[in-house]
Amino acid sequence: MRVLQLQFAAEALGRCRLFAGMSEESLQAISGTLRSRRFRRGEVLFHEGDPGDALFIVTSGAVKVVVPSEEGEEAILVTLRRGDFLGELALLDGAPRSASAIALEPTEVLALPRSQFRTLVASQPAIRDALLAALAGELRRLTTHVAELHFLDLTGRLAARLARLAAEHGERLPNGSIRLDAPLTQSDLAAMIGATRQSVNKLLGEFEADGLLRIERDSILVPDLERLSGAARR
């Protein structure tokens, strides 16, 4: 990589929670092993069943991680944005990819080869601790998701998922409301909560009529996050 590219890569690594505890010198050293890759909206980063040959760090854009069905439908496990990472499970156990990853919008990632990743996990306590924390967080998220699917109706599941997306990825505005950029389609939201696109379309209209959110051209505005969260518990 050229000097400017190395600096960009080091800064991107520093924004990723997996590498946040490392020194500037260490980040610069790792940057030399990275490959930058760009994906168009809808382009696949990797397929379920592919060999796990790299860790991906999102530097711009958004990615959805999905489990596809034989009928061509998909269940969205998580959405990732700048500073997030993906693909670590296959690197840890050597098994094929357990899910597919697809760009939700024009996206750039940095790819860390498997050999370098495993060396870092073995030699850097800060990375090892961050990785364990991330895996624990993923397990908690999946536990929450299973509980929502089991105990909440469609209204509750959609409200809970939108509230979580707003809390994790939204931009808090001066008036206290939250703006969530919306690369997700209604079909994507449906794939997150086990519903149809038509059901999600109807519920979004009801949420807007109730003042829980406002759908704008390129975003969703949540006036009161606590009220939206409360709608999941009704």
Side-chain angles (χ1 to χ4, degrees):
M1 284 189 179
R2 292 177 297 180
V3 174
L4 287 178
Q5 291 175 313
L6 285 172
Q7 184 61 36
F8 168 80
E11 291 175 356
L13 286 177
R15 289 192 295 267
C16 178
R17 65 186 185 278
L18 187 60
F19 302 94
M22 299 189 67
S23 66
E24 181 67 24
E25 292 77 15
S26 297
L27 293 176
Q28 290 283 357
I30 298 171
S31 298
T33 69
L34 299 174
R35 302 188 310 272
S36 178
R37 299 181 61 184
R38 291 182 174 87
F39 297 88
R40 299 183 300 275
R41 176 185 172 91
E43 193 171 359
V44 176
L45 282 71
F46 54 78
H47 290 277
E48 179 185 21
D50 284 351
D53 58 357
L55 176 81
F56 294 98
I57 301 120
V58 181
T59 58
S60 66
V63 175
K64 61 180 178 180
V65 179
V66 307
V67 176
S69 72
E70 294 182 358
E71 293 75 25
E73 298 179 347
E74 60 184 32
I76 298 179
L77 302 180
V78 67
T79 58
L80 305 170
R81 295 174 182 262
R82 177 182 175 183
D84 291 328
F85 61 92
L86 67 154
E88 71 278 8
L89 289 181
L91 301 187
L92 290 171
D93 63 10
R97 300 288 190 190
S98 59
S100 300
I102 303 170
L104 283 165
E105 59 188 22
T107 295
E108 182 173 6
V109 302
L110 295 173
L112 179 68
R114 183 175 191 268
S115 58
Q116 181 68 11
F117 171 77
R118 291 182 66 86
T119 298
L120 288 170
V121 171
S123 62
Q124 296 284 343
I127 288 183
R128 195 161 57 244
D129 291 346
L131 182 62
L132 289 172
L135 292 174
E138 180 71 3
L139 181 58
R140 291 178 184 277
R141 185 192 61 76
L142 289 174
T143 300
T144 298
H145 182 57
V146 170
E148 288 174 355
L149 287 174
H150 190 74
F151 295 116
L152 298 180
D153 60 12
L154 283 182
T155 300
R157 297 206 297 269
L158 182 59
R161 180 54 63 103
L162 287 172
R164 190 155 59 249
L165 288 170
E168 294 175 355
H169 302 301
E171 174 193 2
R172 186 167 291 277
L173 304 179
N175 64 1
S177 61
I178 296 176
R179 174 173 286 115
L180 176 65
D181 291 337
L184 293 170
T185 65
Q186 292 182 7
S187 295
D188 290 329
L189 289 172
M192 289 179 169
I193 64 171
T196 64
R197 187 197 64 78
Q198 292 80 2
S199 297
V200 168
N201 178 272
K202 179 182 177 182
L203 286 173
L204 288 175
E206 292 176 359
F207 285 2
E208 192 163 22
D210 290 342
L212 294 173
L213 52 80
R214 187 167 73 245
I215 299 175
E216 302 180 340
R217 181 177 179 182
D218 297 316
S219 62
I220 296 175
L221 188 70
V222 179
D224 188 333
L225 181 59
E226 185 174 348
R227 184 165 174 245
L228 179 61
S229 299
R233 300 187 292 270
R234 290 191 304 206

